[in-house]
Amino acid sequence: AQSVTQLGSHVSVSEGALVLLRCNYSSSVPPYLFWYVQYPNQGLQLLLKYTSAATLVKGINGFEAEFKKSETSFHLTKPSAHMSDAAEYFCAVSALYGGSQGNLIFGKGTKLSVKP
Amino acid sequence: NAGVTQTPKFRVLKTGQSMTLLCAQDMNHEYMYWYRQDPGMGLRLIHYSVGEGTTAKGEVPDGYNVSRLKKQNFLLGLESAAPSQTSVYFCASSYDSGGTAYGYGYTFGSGTRLTVV
């Protein structure tokens, strides 16, 4: 079965510092990969997605992620953190086989805190 | 604004009570999903539907039932609530499975916070 692992349940950065949120997936074939963001008391919003086109994907709010097949990774980065980036971030993979084919499988989330 | 609407937003139930959570979407999406979110567990799929009149079990379906009588609505039922069902429930919809078409991904509702005492 496919799975997603997000390293670090909490990440804290200073405003203006680099944001790096890690995501590794397991899959026997290249999957579709996504990053979603959840602000407090809200639903999830799509940040960006990888669907086998360019390996460097740019999303909203200055975030980007790079698909690295050799490392089975899809880490999310932003060069300079802003206070408004404080939220929980979820990596997700689209299941390619099995009874839930096509459905998203989510990681457990990484809560990002931004210090002034 | 177009999107996914969940009702109610908050609910407190006593153990053994029943209730139905309603999800409505106005984007003509074929696929709809119910997830539960618990601290440290991420989102886990309860049930999903690939079209009107269809439902299927997800990762954690026990204790829940669903119905999709109309394309725009997806109902989640708890027949006999248990404290273990205390959670935040999210409904989502998508144009296709995995949300890969047109770059829209899944559209999520704002959630229902359910407490079972």
Side-chain angles (χ1 to χ4, degrees), chain A residues 32 34 36 38 41-44 46 49 88 90 94 99-104 106-108, chain B residues 33 35 37 40-43 45 48 90 97-100 103-106 108-110 113:
Chain A
Y32 297 137
F34 305 79
Y36 282 81
Q38 183 182 32
N41 299 313
Q42 295 186 26
L44 280 71
L46 180 66
K49 68 180 180 72
E88 190 159 17
F90 292 91
S94 182
S100 298
Q101 184 173 358
N103 294 332
L104 288 185
F106 287 88
K108 294 186 177 182
Chain B
Y33 314 84
Y35 286 90
Q37 183 180 27
M41 301 294 290
L43 278 81
L45 183 64
Y48 64 101
F90 286 99
S97 67
T100 55
Y104 297 134
Y106 283 17
F108 282 83
S110 57
R113 188 174 296 274

Side-chain angles (χ1 to χ4, degrees), chain A residues 18-76:
Chain A
L18 171 71
V19 175
L20 171 60
L21 304 182
R22 299 177 187 273
C23 173
N24 288 88
Y25 67 91
S26 67
S27 175
S28 59
V29 295
Y32 297 137
L33 294 158
F34 305 79
W35 276 98
Y36 282 81
V37 60
Q38 183 182 32
Y39 297 103
N41 299 313
Q42 295 186 26
L44 280 71
Q45 303 172 34
L46 180 66
L47 261 184
L48 50 81
K49 68 180 180 72
Y50 166 78
T51 56
S52 73
T55 57
L56 182 63
V57 181
K58 294 187 184 298
I60 61 172
N61 301 335
F63 284 93
E64 63 181 35
E66 186 173 9
F67 172 71
K68 292 187 176 180
K69 181 179 177 181
S70 61
E71 299 177 7
T72 61
S73 68
F74 191 57
H75 301 330
L76 181 70

Side-chain angles (χ1 to χ4, degrees), chain B residues 10-53:
Chain B
F10 303 93
R11 185 73 185 268
V12 178
L13 283 181
K14 294 182 178 179
T15 297
Q17 286 185 319
S18 64
M19 79 164 293
T20 300
L21 282 66
L22 172 63
C23 176
Q25 53 95 3
D26 58 3
M27 297 169 287
N28 203 34
H29 284 170
E30 290 291 339
Y31 293 74
M32 296 188 75
Y33 314 84
W34 276 107
Y35 286 90
R36 60 177 290 173
Q37 183 180 27
D38 303 291
M41 301 294 290
L43 278 81
R44 293 180 290 170
L45 183 64
I46 305 172
H47 286 280
Y48 64 101
S49 167
V50 301
E52 181 179 311

